[in-house]
Amino acid sequence: MKQILHIISSPRKDQSFSLGLSKAIIRKLVCSDEVFKIVERDLTISEPPMLSDHQISAFYKKADERSEDEKRSLVYSDIVINEIQNSSIIVIGIAMYNLSVSAALKAWIDQIVRVNVSFKWNVDGTKEGLLSGKKVYLAIASGRVHSVKNYEMEFIESYLKLILGSLGINEITTIRVEGTAKKNINNINFNQFVNSNTHL
Ligand SMILES: Cc1cc2nc3c(=O)[nH]c(=O)nc-3n(C[C@H](O)[C@H](O)[C@H](O)COP(=O)(O)O)c2cc1C
Protein backbone atom coordinates (compact mmCIF):
# COMPACT_ATOMS: atom_id res chain seq x y z
CA MET A 1 0.00 0.00 0.00
CA LYS A 2 1.35 3.43 -0.95
CA GLN A 3 1.76 6.04 1.76
CA ILE A 4 0.94 9.75 1.62
CA LEU A 5 2.78 11.91 4.15
CA HIS A 6 0.87 15.07 5.10
CA ILE A 7 3.03 17.80 6.60
CA ILE A 8 1.07 20.54 8.42
CA SER A 9 2.87 23.79 9.25
CA SER A 10 0.07 26.25 10.07
CA PRO A 11 -1.26 26.26 13.65
CA ARG A 12 -4.61 27.76 12.57
CA LYS A 13 -6.55 24.51 12.22
CA ASP A 14 -9.96 25.08 10.54
CA GLN A 15 -9.00 28.70 9.75
CA SER A 16 -5.87 27.60 7.87
CA PHE A 17 -5.92 28.00 4.08
CA SER A 18 -2.81 25.83 3.61
CA LEU A 19 -4.45 23.05 5.63
CA GLY A 20 -7.69 23.35 3.64
CA LEU A 21 -5.74 23.19 0.40
CA SER A 22 -3.44 20.32 1.41
CA LYS A 23 -6.46 18.29 2.61
CA ALA A 24 -8.20 18.87 -0.75
CA ILE A 25 -5.06 17.66 -2.58
CA ILE A 26 -5.08 14.48 -0.49
CA ARG A 27 -8.84 13.98 -1.07
CA LYS A 28 -8.20 14.15 -4.82
CA LEU A 29 -5.25 11.75 -4.64
CA VAL A 30 -7.18 9.13 -2.68
CA CYS A 31 -10.01 9.26 -5.26
CA SER A 32 -7.92 7.08 -7.57
CA ASP A 33 -8.21 3.27 -7.67
CA GLU A 34 -5.16 2.92 -5.44
CA VAL A 35 -5.48 2.48 -1.70
CA PHE A 36 -3.32 4.87 0.32
CA LYS A 37 -2.23 5.01 3.92
CA ILE A 38 -2.17 8.61 5.18
CA VAL A 39 0.41 9.63 7.77
CA GLU A 40 0.02 13.09 9.28
CA ARG A 41 2.85 15.07 10.86
CA ASP A 42 1.57 18.27 12.39
CA LEU A 43 4.67 20.37 13.08
CA THR A 44 2.64 22.76 15.23
CA ILE A 45 1.59 20.03 17.69
CA SER A 46 4.91 18.19 18.06
CA GLU A 47 7.45 20.83 17.16
CA PRO A 48 10.73 19.66 15.61
CA PRO A 49 13.80 20.21 17.80
CA MET A 50 16.30 22.90 16.87
CA LEU A 51 19.68 21.62 15.71
CA SER A 52 21.92 21.18 18.74
CA ASP A 53 25.66 20.88 19.29
CA HIS A 54 25.25 17.12 19.93
CA GLN A 55 23.15 16.63 16.82
CA ILE A 56 25.53 18.44 14.51
CA SER A 57 28.46 16.34 15.86
CA ALA A 58 26.36 13.19 15.44
CA PHE A 59 25.60 13.98 11.79
CA TYR A 60 29.29 13.67 10.92
CA LYS A 61 30.12 10.56 12.98
CA LYS A 62 29.65 6.87 12.25
CA ALA A 63 26.90 5.17 14.32
CA ASP A 64 29.38 3.31 16.58
CA GLU A 65 31.38 6.49 17.31
CA ARG A 66 28.44 8.48 18.71
CA SER A 67 28.02 9.27 22.42
CA GLU A 68 24.70 8.52 24.17
CA ASP A 69 23.74 12.24 23.96
CA GLU A 70 24.53 12.26 20.25
CA LYS A 71 22.46 9.11 19.66
CA ARG A 72 19.51 10.64 21.53
CA SER A 73 19.80 13.84 19.48
CA LEU A 74 19.13 11.87 16.28
CA VAL A 75 15.88 10.20 17.34
CA TYR A 76 13.51 12.81 15.86
CA SER A 77 15.54 13.09 12.65
CA ASP A 78 15.46 9.28 12.21
CA ILE A 79 11.67 9.26 12.65
CA VAL A 80 10.91 12.04 10.16
CA ILE A 81 13.37 10.76 7.53
CA ASN A 82 11.81 7.30 7.91
CA GLU A 83 8.37 8.81 7.29
CA ILE A 84 9.63 10.24 4.00
CA GLN A 85 11.40 6.99 3.02
CA ASN A 86 8.14 5.08 3.55
CA SER A 87 6.03 7.53 1.52
CA SER A 88 5.56 7.77 -2.22
CA ILE A 89 3.74 11.12 -2.02
CA ILE A 90 4.36 14.04 0.34
CA VAL A 91 1.85 16.89 0.63
CA ILE A 92 3.26 19.94 2.44
CA GLY A 93 0.88 22.61 3.72
CA ILE A 94 2.82 25.87 3.90
CA ALA A 95 1.81 29.16 5.51
CA MET A 96 3.92 32.05 4.22
CA TYR A 97 5.43 33.91 7.17
CA ASN A 98 7.61 36.96 6.55
CA LEU A 99 8.35 35.92 2.97
CA SER A 100 9.43 32.46 4.01
CA VAL A 101 8.26 29.20 5.59
CA SER A 102 7.35 28.98 9.29
CA ALA A 103 10.09 28.32 11.83
CA ALA A 104 8.56 24.89 12.49
CA LEU A 105 8.77 23.90 8.81
CA LYS A 106 12.35 25.17 8.59
CA ALA A 107 13.22 23.15 11.71
CA TRP A 108 11.71 20.02 10.06
CA ILE A 109 13.84 20.68 6.96
CA ASP A 110 16.96 20.94 9.14
CA GLN A 111 16.07 17.51 10.57
CA ILE A 112 15.60 15.78 7.20
CA VAL A 113 18.67 17.12 5.35
CA ARG A 114 21.32 14.73 6.65
CA VAL A 115 24.60 13.66 5.12
CA ASN A 116 24.86 9.95 4.25
CA VAL A 117 21.19 9.44 5.16
CA SER A 118 19.14 11.70 2.87
CA PHE A 119 22.00 12.84 0.62
CA LYS A 120 25.67 12.04 0.09
CA TRP A 121 28.76 13.60 -1.43
CA ASN A 122 30.31 11.54 -4.25
CA VAL A 123 34.09 11.29 -4.67
CA ASP A 124 33.89 13.59 -7.71
CA GLY A 125 32.43 16.34 -5.48
CA THR A 126 28.85 16.02 -6.72
CA LYS A 127 25.92 15.81 -4.33
CA GLU A 128 23.50 12.89 -4.67
CA GLY A 129 20.02 12.76 -3.17
CA LEU A 130 19.04 9.49 -1.48
CA LEU A 131 15.26 10.01 -1.25
CA SER A 132 14.37 9.77 -4.94
CA GLY A 133 11.18 8.34 -6.45
CA LYS A 134 8.72 10.53 -4.54
CA LYS A 135 6.18 13.14 -5.64
CA VAL A 136 5.73 16.31 -3.62
CA TYR A 137 2.81 18.75 -3.61
CA LEU A 138 3.41 22.19 -2.11
CA ALA A 139 0.16 23.75 -0.85
CA ILE A 140 1.21 27.36 -0.28
CA ALA A 141 -1.05 29.94 1.39
CA SER A 142 -0.10 33.62 1.40
CA GLY A 143 -1.84 36.78 2.53
CA ARG A 144 -0.77 38.59 -0.65
CA VAL A 145 -0.71 37.43 -4.27
CA HIS A 146 2.74 36.29 -5.38
CA SER A 147 2.24 34.24 -8.54
CA VAL A 148 1.13 37.00 -10.92
CA LYS A 149 2.62 40.00 -9.10
CA ASN A 150 5.11 40.48 -6.25
CA TYR A 151 6.91 37.36 -7.53
CA GLU A 152 10.24 38.87 -6.47
CA MET A 153 9.00 38.36 -2.88
CA GLU A 154 8.35 34.65 -3.41
CA PHE A 155 11.20 32.46 -2.17
CA ILE A 156 9.27 29.48 -0.82
CA GLU A 157 8.78 27.54 -4.04
CA SER A 158 12.35 28.03 -5.33
CA TYR A 159 13.80 27.25 -1.89
CA LEU A 160 11.80 24.05 -1.43
CA LYS A 161 12.51 22.89 -4.98
CA LEU A 162 16.24 23.33 -4.39
CA ILE A 163 16.36 21.74 -0.96
CA LEU A 164 14.12 18.78 -1.88
CA GLY A 165 15.98 18.45 -5.19
CA SER A 166 19.22 18.06 -3.22
CA LEU A 167 17.59 15.01 -1.57
CA GLY A 168 16.70 13.55 -4.98
CA ILE A 169 13.06 14.71 -4.95
CA ASN A 170 12.43 16.60 -8.19
CA GLU A 171 8.82 15.82 -9.04
CA ILE A 172 7.26 18.81 -7.31
CA THR A 173 3.91 20.49 -8.01
CA THR A 174 2.94 23.82 -6.46
CA ILE A 175 -0.67 24.78 -5.82
CA ARG A 176 -1.35 28.17 -4.25
CA VAL A 177 -4.16 29.85 -2.40
CA GLU A 178 -3.24 33.53 -2.47
CA GLY A 179 -4.53 36.86 -1.23
CA THR A 180 -5.94 35.13 1.83
CA ALA A 181 -5.86 38.43 3.76
CA LYS A 182 -8.92 39.45 1.74
CA LYS A 183 -10.62 36.05 1.61
CA ASN A 184 -13.09 34.37 3.92
CA ILE A 185 -12.12 30.73 4.32
CA ASN A 186 -15.79 29.71 4.51
CA ASN A 187 -16.29 30.94 0.93
CA ILE A 188 -13.37 28.99 -0.52
CA ASN A 189 -13.88 25.85 -2.55
CA PHE A 190 -10.52 24.12 -2.13
CA ASN A 191 -11.60 21.28 -4.42
CA GLN A 192 -11.88 23.87 -7.22
CA PHE A 193 -8.21 24.89 -6.82
CA VAL A 194 -7.20 21.29 -6.93
CA ASN A 195 -9.47 20.26 -9.81
CA SER A 196 -8.11 23.03 -12.02
CA ASN A 197 -4.59 21.63 -11.57
CA THR A 198 -3.75 19.21 -14.36
CA HIS A 199 -0.84 17.63 -12.47
CA LEU A 200 -3.14 15.83 -10.06
C1 LIG B 1 3.51 36.18 11.21
C2 LIG B 1 2.90 36.26 9.83
C3 LIG B 1 3.68 36.67 8.76
C4 LIG B 1 3.13 36.75 7.48
N1 LIG B 1 3.92 37.15 6.44
C5 LIG B 1 3.39 37.19 5.19
C6 LIG B 1 4.19 37.58 4.08
O1 LIG B 1 5.38 37.86 4.19
N2 LIG B 1 3.61 37.62 2.84
C7 LIG B 1 2.30 37.28 2.64
O2 LIG B 1 1.85 37.31 1.51
N3 LIG B 1 1.52 36.90 3.70
C8 LIG B 1 2.04 36.85 4.94
N4 LIG B 1 1.26 36.45 6.00
C9 LIG B 1 -0.13 36.03 5.75
C10 LIG B 1 -0.22 34.51 5.67
O3 LIG B 1 0.64 34.02 4.65
C11 LIG B 1 -1.63 34.08 5.38
O4 LIG B 1 -2.44 34.42 6.49
C12 LIG B 1 -1.78 32.62 5.10
O5 LIG B 1 -3.12 32.33 4.80
C13 LIG B 1 -1.28 31.78 6.26
O6 LIG B 1 -1.49 30.39 6.03
P1 LIG B 1 -2.64 29.59 6.83
O7 LIG B 1 -3.94 30.23 6.41
O8 LIG B 1 -2.49 28.18 6.36
O9 LIG B 1 -2.39 29.76 8.29
C14 LIG B 1 1.78 36.39 7.28
C15 LIG B 1 1.01 35.96 8.38
C16 LIG B 1 1.55 35.89 9.63
C17 LIG B 1 0.70 35.42 10.78
Side-chain angles (χ1 to χ4, degrees), residues 3 25-27 45 47 49 65 69 75 86 92 96 98 101 129 133-134 149 171 173 186-187 190-191 193:
Q3 181 165 298
I25 293 170
I26 293 171
R27 271 199 301 278
I45 292 175
E47 288 173 356
E65 293 169 350
D69 282 339
V75 170
N86 291 338
I92 310 178
M96 180 186 278
N98 303 317
V101 299
K134 292 154 199 324
K149 52 183 180 174
E171 216 179 320
T173 301
N186 301 316
N187 298 333
F190 288 107
N191 294 334
F193 281 84

PDB file of all heavy atoms in Angstrom, residues 3 25-27 45 47 49 65 69 75 86 92 96 98 101 129 133-134 149 171 173 186-187 190-191 193:
ATOM      1  N   GLN A   3       1.980   5.131   0.630  1.00  0.00           N
ATOM      2  CA  GLN A   3       1.763   6.036   1.763  1.00  0.00           C
ATOM      3  C   GLN A   3       1.836   7.494   1.314  1.00  0.00           C
ATOM      4  O   GLN A   3       2.722   7.867   0.547  1.00  0.00           O
ATOM      5  CB  GLN A   3       2.830   5.758   2.828  1.00  0.00           C
ATOM      6  CG  GLN A   3       2.707   6.628   4.067  1.00  0.00           C
ATOM      7  CD  GLN A   3       3.540   6.075   5.221  1.00  0.00           C
ATOM      8  OE1 GLN A   3       3.311   4.959   5.707  1.00  0.00           O
ATOM      9  NE2 GLN A   3       4.507   6.852   5.663  1.00  0.00           N
ATOM     10  N   ILE A  25      -6.008  18.393  -1.704  1.00  0.00           N
ATOM     11  CA  ILE A  25      -5.063  17.663  -2.581  1.00  0.00           C
ATOM     12  C   ILE A  25      -5.103  16.174  -2.217  1.00  0.00           C
ATOM     13  O   ILE A  25      -5.187  15.303  -3.089  1.00  0.00           O
ATOM     14  CB  ILE A  25      -3.634  18.237  -2.439  1.00  0.00           C
ATOM     15  CG1 ILE A  25      -3.573  19.659  -3.000  1.00  0.00           C
ATOM     16  CG2 ILE A  25      -2.607  17.327  -3.124  1.00  0.00           C
ATOM     17  CD1 ILE A  25      -2.286  20.412  -2.713  1.00  0.00           C
ATOM     18  N   ILE A  26      -5.083  15.887  -0.931  1.00  0.00           N
ATOM     19  CA  ILE A  26      -5.084  14.480  -0.491  1.00  0.00           C
ATOM     20  C   ILE A  26      -6.415  13.811  -0.865  1.00  0.00           C
ATOM     21  O   ILE A  26      -6.429  12.680  -1.339  1.00  0.00           O
ATOM     22  CB  ILE A  26      -4.780  14.385   1.017  1.00  0.00           C
ATOM     23  CG1 ILE A  26      -3.332  14.835   1.261  1.00  0.00           C
ATOM     24  CG2 ILE A  26      -5.005  12.966   1.547  1.00  0.00           C
ATOM     25  CD1 ILE A  26      -2.951  15.001   2.704  1.00  0.00           C
ATOM     26  N   ARG A  27      -7.522  14.541  -0.684  1.00  0.00           N
ATOM     27  CA  ARG A  27      -8.837  13.984  -1.074  1.00  0.00           C
ATOM     28  C   ARG A  27      -8.831  13.580  -2.537  1.00  0.00           C
ATOM     29  O   ARG A  27      -9.315  12.531  -2.906  1.00  0.00           O
ATOM     30  CB  ARG A  27      -9.943  15.029  -0.860  1.00  0.00           C
ATOM     31  CG  ARG A  27     -10.553  15.007   0.529  1.00  0.00           C
ATOM     32  CD  ARG A  27     -11.908  15.703   0.565  1.00  0.00           C
ATOM     33  NE  ARG A  27     -11.878  17.094   0.149  1.00  0.00           N
ATOM     34  CZ  ARG A  27     -11.525  18.114   0.933  1.00  0.00           C
ATOM     35  NH1 ARG A  27     -11.170  17.892   2.180  1.00  0.00           N
ATOM     36  NH2 ARG A  27     -11.540  19.350   0.480  1.00  0.00           N
ATOM     37  N   ILE A  45       1.972  20.762  16.464  1.00  0.00           N
ATOM     38  CA  ILE A  45       1.594  20.033  17.690  1.00  0.00           C
ATOM     39  C   ILE A  45       2.849  19.435  18.326  1.00  0.00           C
ATOM     40  O   ILE A  45       3.143  19.659  19.490  1.00  0.00           O
ATOM     41  CB  ILE A  45       0.547  18.936  17.378  1.00  0.00           C
ATOM     42  CG1 ILE A  45      -0.781  19.594  16.976  1.00  0.00           C
ATOM     43  CG2 ILE A  45       0.337  18.024  18.599  1.00  0.00           C
ATOM     44  CD1 ILE A  45      -1.850  18.617  16.544  1.00  0.00           C
ATOM     45  N   GLU A  47       6.511  19.964  17.883  1.00  0.00           N
ATOM     46  CA  GLU A  47       7.453  20.826  17.160  1.00  0.00           C
ATOM     47  C   GLU A  47       8.798  20.132  16.985  1.00  0.00           C
ATOM     48  O   GLU A  47       9.303  19.493  17.916  1.00  0.00           O
ATOM     49  CB  GLU A  47       7.648  22.140  17.916  1.00  0.00           C
ATOM     50  CG  GLU A  47       6.416  23.016  17.818  1.00  0.00           C
ATOM     51  CD  GLU A  47       6.501  24.257  18.678  1.00  0.00           C
ATOM     52  OE1 GLU A  47       7.495  24.414  19.412  1.00  0.00           O
ATOM     53  OE2 GLU A  47       5.555  25.064  18.624  1.00  0.00           O
ATOM     54  N   PRO A  49      12.750  19.573  16.985  1.00  0.00           N
ATOM     55  CA  PRO A  49      13.796  20.214  17.796  1.00  0.00           C
ATOM     56  C   PRO A  49      14.671  21.104  16.931  1.00  0.00           C
ATOM     57  O   PRO A  49      14.783  20.888  15.728  1.00  0.00           O
ATOM     58  CB  PRO A  49      14.596  19.029  18.338  1.00  0.00           C
ATOM     59  CG  PRO A  49      14.318  17.898  17.412  1.00  0.00           C
ATOM     60  CD  PRO A  49      12.963  18.133  16.807  1.00  0.00           C
ATOM     61  N   GLU A  65      30.481   5.480  16.694  1.00  0.00           N
ATOM     62  CA  GLU A  65      31.382   6.486  17.308  1.00  0.00           C
ATOM     63  C   GLU A  65      30.599   7.524  18.114  1.00  0.00           C
ATOM     64  O   GLU A  65      31.188   8.395  18.759  1.00  0.00           O
ATOM     65  CB  GLU A  65      32.159   7.228  16.214  1.00  0.00           C
ATOM     66  CG  GLU A  65      33.148   6.346  15.458  1.00  0.00           C
ATOM     67  CD  GLU A  65      33.693   7.051  14.215  1.00  0.00           C
ATOM     68  OE1 GLU A  65      33.172   8.123  13.836  1.00  0.00           O
ATOM     69  OE2 GLU A  65      34.620   6.498  13.627  1.00  0.00           O
ATOM     70  N   ASP A  69      24.430  10.970  24.243  1.00  0.00           N
ATOM     71  CA  ASP A  69      23.737  12.243  23.957  1.00  0.00           C
ATOM     72  C   ASP A  69      23.572  12.437  22.458  1.00  0.00           C
ATOM     73  O   ASP A  69      22.526  12.903  21.979  1.00  0.00           O
ATOM     74  CB  ASP A  69      24.539  13.431  24.522  1.00  0.00           C
ATOM     75  CG  ASP A  69      24.345  13.583  26.015  1.00  0.00           C
ATOM     76  OD1 ASP A  69      23.334  13.069  26.530  1.00  0.00           O
ATOM     77  OD2 ASP A  69      25.213  14.208  26.657  1.00  0.00           O
ATOM     78  N   VAL A  75      17.120  10.983  17.336  1.00  0.00           N
ATOM     79  CA  VAL A  75      15.876  10.196  17.340  1.00  0.00           C
ATOM     80  C   VAL A  75      14.802  10.839  16.452  1.00  0.00           C
ATOM     81  O   VAL A  75      14.205  10.188  15.585  1.00  0.00           O
ATOM     82  CB  VAL A  75      15.354   9.988  18.787  1.00  0.00           C
ATOM     83  CG1 VAL A  75      13.953   9.389  18.783  1.00  0.00           C
ATOM     84  CG2 VAL A  75      16.312   9.088  19.551  1.00  0.00           C
ATOM     85  N   ASN A  86       9.283   5.990   3.689  1.00  0.00           N
ATOM     86  CA  ASN A  86       8.137   5.075   3.549  1.00  0.00           C
ATOM     87  C   ASN A  86       6.997   5.643   2.708  1.00  0.00           C
ATOM     88  O   ASN A  86       5.986   4.968   2.524  1.00  0.00           O
ATOM     89  CB  ASN A  86       7.584   4.709   4.931  1.00  0.00           C
ATOM     90  CG  ASN A  86       8.551   3.834   5.697  1.00  0.00           C
ATOM     91  OD1 ASN A  86       9.401   3.178   5.101  1.00  0.00           O
ATOM     92  ND2 ASN A  86       8.453   3.856   7.016  1.00  0.00           N
ATOM     93  N   ILE A  92       2.787  19.009   1.409  1.00  0.00           N
ATOM     94  CA  ILE A  92       3.262  19.936   2.441  1.00  0.00           C
ATOM     95  C   ILE A  92       2.387  21.187   2.446  1.00  0.00           C
ATOM     96  O   ILE A  92       2.345  21.934   1.467  1.00  0.00           O
ATOM     97  CB  ILE A  92       4.744  20.332   2.206  1.00  0.00           C
ATOM     98  CG1 ILE A  92       5.615  19.090   1.984  1.00  0.00           C
ATOM     99  CG2 ILE A  92       5.266  21.152   3.384  1.00  0.00           C
ATOM    100  CD1 ILE A  92       7.084  19.406   1.690  1.00  0.00           C
ATOM    101  N   MET A  96       2.809  31.101   4.425  1.00  0.00           N
ATOM    102  CA  MET A  96       3.922  32.049   4.223  1.00  0.00           C
ATOM    103  C   MET A  96       4.013  32.989   5.417  1.00  0.00           C
ATOM    104  O   MET A  96       3.045  33.670   5.762  1.00  0.00           O
ATOM    105  CB  MET A  96       3.716  32.876   2.944  1.00  0.00           C
ATOM    106  CG  MET A  96       4.861  33.861   2.732  1.00  0.00           C
ATOM    107  SD  MET A  96       4.613  34.988   1.349  1.00  0.00           S
ATOM    108  CE  MET A  96       5.129  33.999  -0.020  1.00  0.00           C
ATOM    109  N   ASN A  98       6.481  36.054   6.781  1.00  0.00           N
ATOM    110  CA  ASN A  98       7.612  36.960   6.553  1.00  0.00           C
ATOM    111  C   ASN A  98       8.451  36.524   5.360  1.00  0.00           C
ATOM    112  O   ASN A  98       9.667  36.345   5.463  1.00  0.00           O
ATOM    113  CB  ASN A  98       8.441  37.094   7.839  1.00  0.00           C
ATOM    114  CG  ASN A  98       7.571  37.575   8.980  1.00  0.00           C
ATOM    115  OD1 ASN A  98       6.757  38.482   8.795  1.00  0.00           O
ATOM    116  ND2 ASN A  98       7.671  36.943  10.139  1.00  0.00           N
ATOM    117  N   VAL A 101       9.050  30.247   4.926  1.00  0.00           N
ATOM    118  CA  VAL A 101       8.264  29.202   5.593  1.00  0.00           C
ATOM    119  C   VAL A 101       8.264  29.473   7.098  1.00  0.00           C
ATOM    120  O   VAL A 101       9.078  30.254   7.589  1.00  0.00           O
ATOM    121  CB  VAL A 101       8.838  27.790   5.288  1.00  0.00           C
ATOM    122  CG1 VAL A 101       8.782  27.506   3.800  1.00  0.00           C
ATOM    123  CG2 VAL A 101      10.261  27.629   5.810  1.00  0.00           C
ATOM    124  N   GLY A 129      21.163  12.938  -4.072  1.00  0.00           N
ATOM    125  CA  GLY A 129      20.021  12.764  -3.172  1.00  0.00           C
ATOM    126  C   GLY A 129      19.711  11.291  -2.986  1.00  0.00           C
ATOM    127  O   GLY A 129      19.829  10.503  -3.921  1.00  0.00           O
ATOM    128  N   GLY A 133      12.358   9.152  -6.146  1.00  0.00           N
ATOM    129  CA  GLY A 133      11.177   8.338  -6.450  1.00  0.00           C
ATOM    130  C   GLY A 133       9.929   8.788  -5.724  1.00  0.00           C
ATOM    131  O   GLY A 133       8.994   8.004  -5.564  1.00  0.00           O
ATOM    132  N   LYS A 134       9.908  10.040  -5.260  1.00  0.00           N
ATOM    133  CA  LYS A 134       8.718  10.533  -4.545  1.00  0.00           C
ATOM    134  C   LYS A 134       8.161  11.770  -5.239  1.00  0.00           C
ATOM    135  O   LYS A 134       8.908  12.534  -5.823  1.00  0.00           O
ATOM    136  CB  LYS A 134       9.090  10.902  -3.108  1.00  0.00           C
ATOM    137  CG  LYS A 134       9.457   9.671  -2.314  1.00  0.00           C
ATOM    138  CD  LYS A 134      10.370   9.955  -1.195  1.00  0.00           C
ATOM    139  CE  LYS A 134      11.081   8.718  -0.700  1.00  0.00           C
ATOM    140  NZ  LYS A 134      10.321   7.483  -0.714  1.00  0.00           N
ATOM    141  N   LYS A 149       1.909  38.756  -9.425  1.00  0.00           N
ATOM    142  CA  LYS A 149       2.625  39.999  -9.096  1.00  0.00           C
ATOM    143  C   LYS A 149       3.398  39.752  -7.807  1.00  0.00           C
ATOM    144  O   LYS A 149       3.193  38.733  -7.145  1.00  0.00           O
ATOM    145  CB  LYS A 149       1.677  41.194  -8.970  1.00  0.00           C
ATOM    146  CG  LYS A 149       0.505  40.954  -8.032  1.00  0.00           C
ATOM    147  CD  LYS A 149      -0.430  42.130  -7.988  1.00  0.00           C
ATOM    148  CE  LYS A 149      -1.590  41.848  -7.052  1.00  0.00           C
ATOM    149  NZ  LYS A 149      -2.474  42.942  -6.828  1.00  0.00           N
ATOM    150  N   GLU A 171      10.176  15.760  -8.480  1.00  0.00           N
ATOM    151  CA  GLU A 171       8.821  15.817  -9.040  1.00  0.00           C
ATOM    152  C   GLU A 171       7.939  16.606  -8.071  1.00  0.00           C
ATOM    153  O   GLU A 171       7.362  16.041  -7.120  1.00  0.00           O
ATOM    154  CB  GLU A 171       8.295  14.390  -9.224  1.00  0.00           C
ATOM    155  CG  GLU A 171       7.433  14.255 -10.456  1.00  0.00           C
ATOM    156  CD  GLU A 171       6.942  12.850 -10.658  1.00  0.00           C
ATOM    157  OE1 GLU A 171       7.720  11.900 -10.439  1.00  0.00           O
ATOM    158  OE2 GLU A 171       5.773  12.708 -11.008  1.00  0.00           O
ATOM    159  N   THR A 173       5.006  19.674  -7.469  1.00  0.00           N
ATOM    160  CA  THR A 173       3.910  20.489  -8.015  1.00  0.00           C
ATOM    161  C   THR A 173       3.502  21.511  -6.958  1.00  0.00           C
ATOM    162  O   THR A 173       3.318  21.154  -5.793  1.00  0.00           O
ATOM    163  CB  THR A 173       2.693  19.585  -8.339  1.00  0.00           C
ATOM    164  OG1 THR A 173       3.113  18.604  -9.277  1.00  0.00           O
ATOM    165  CG2 THR A 173       1.540  20.389  -8.923  1.00  0.00           C
ATOM    166  N   ASN A 186     -14.517  30.428   4.678  1.00  0.00           N
ATOM    167  CA  ASN A 186     -15.790  29.710   4.509  1.00  0.00           C
ATOM    168  C   ASN A 186     -16.345  29.813   3.086  1.00  0.00           C
ATOM    169  O   ASN A 186     -17.215  29.047   2.697  1.00  0.00           O
ATOM    170  CB  ASN A 186     -16.827  30.239   5.510  1.00  0.00           C
ATOM    171  CG  ASN A 186     -16.327  30.059   6.926  1.00  0.00           C
ATOM    172  OD1 ASN A 186     -15.798  29.005   7.268  1.00  0.00           O
ATOM    173  ND2 ASN A 186     -16.440  31.097   7.743  1.00  0.00           N
ATOM    174  N   ASN A 187     -15.814  30.784   2.319  1.00  0.00           N
ATOM    175  CA  ASN A 187     -16.287  30.939   0.934  1.00  0.00           C
ATOM    176  C   ASN A 187     -15.354  30.279  -0.070  1.00  0.00           C
ATOM    177  O   ASN A 187     -15.508  30.458  -1.274  1.00  0.00           O
ATOM    178  CB  ASN A 187     -16.399  32.437   0.574  1.00  0.00           C
ATOM    179  CG  ASN A 187     -17.411  33.135   1.449  1.00  0.00           C
ATOM    180  OD1 ASN A 187     -18.332  32.489   1.937  1.00  0.00           O
ATOM    181  ND2 ASN A 187     -17.240  34.428   1.663  1.00  0.00           N
ATOM    182  N   PHE A 190     -11.882  24.631  -1.913  1.00  0.00           N
ATOM    183  CA  PHE A 190     -10.524  24.123  -2.133  1.00  0.00           C
ATOM    184  C   PHE A 190     -10.488  23.053  -3.224  1.00  0.00           C
ATOM    185  O   PHE A 190      -9.492  22.922  -3.925  1.00  0.00           O
ATOM    186  CB  PHE A 190      -9.935  23.590  -0.826  1.00  0.00           C
ATOM    187  CG  PHE A 190      -9.594  24.681   0.139  1.00  0.00           C
ATOM    188  CD1 PHE A 190     -10.359  24.894   1.270  1.00  0.00           C
ATOM    189  CD2 PHE A 190      -8.516  25.517  -0.103  1.00  0.00           C
ATOM    190  CE1 PHE A 190     -10.059  25.917   2.153  1.00  0.00           C
ATOM    191  CE2 PHE A 190      -8.204  26.552   0.778  1.00  0.00           C
ATOM    192  CZ  PHE A 190      -8.981  26.746   1.900  1.00  0.00           C
ATOM    193  N   ASN A 191     -11.575  22.307  -3.365  1.00  0.00           N
ATOM    194  CA  ASN A 191     -11.605  21.285  -4.420  1.00  0.00           C
ATOM    195  C   ASN A 191     -11.443  21.929  -5.796  1.00  0.00           C
ATOM    196  O   ASN A 191     -10.837  21.352  -6.687  1.00  0.00           O
ATOM    197  CB  ASN A 191     -12.919  20.502  -4.372  1.00  0.00           C
ATOM    198  CG  ASN A 191     -13.013  19.702  -3.091  1.00  0.00           C
ATOM    199  OD1 ASN A 191     -11.990  19.344  -2.514  1.00  0.00           O
ATOM    200  ND2 ASN A 191     -14.223  19.440  -2.642  1.00  0.00           N
ATOM    201  N   PHE A 193      -9.644  24.633  -6.591  1.00  0.00           N
ATOM    202  CA  PHE A 193      -8.213  24.892  -6.821  1.00  0.00           C
ATOM    203  C   PHE A 193      -7.531  23.620  -7.316  1.00  0.00           C
ATOM    204  O   PHE A 193      -6.730  23.629  -8.227  1.00  0.00           O
ATOM    205  CB  PHE A 193      -7.508  25.287  -5.510  1.00  0.00           C
ATOM    206  CG  PHE A 193      -7.723  26.697  -5.107  1.00  0.00           C
ATOM    207  CD1 PHE A 193      -8.859  27.048  -4.404  1.00  0.00           C
ATOM    208  CD2 PHE A 193      -6.794  27.663  -5.403  1.00  0.00           C
ATOM    209  CE1 PHE A 193      -9.061  28.360  -4.013  1.00  0.00           C
ATOM    210  CE2 PHE A 193      -6.988  28.970  -5.017  1.00  0.00           C
ATOM    211  CZ  PHE A 193      -8.120  29.323  -4.316  1.00  0.00           C
TER     212      PHE A 193
END
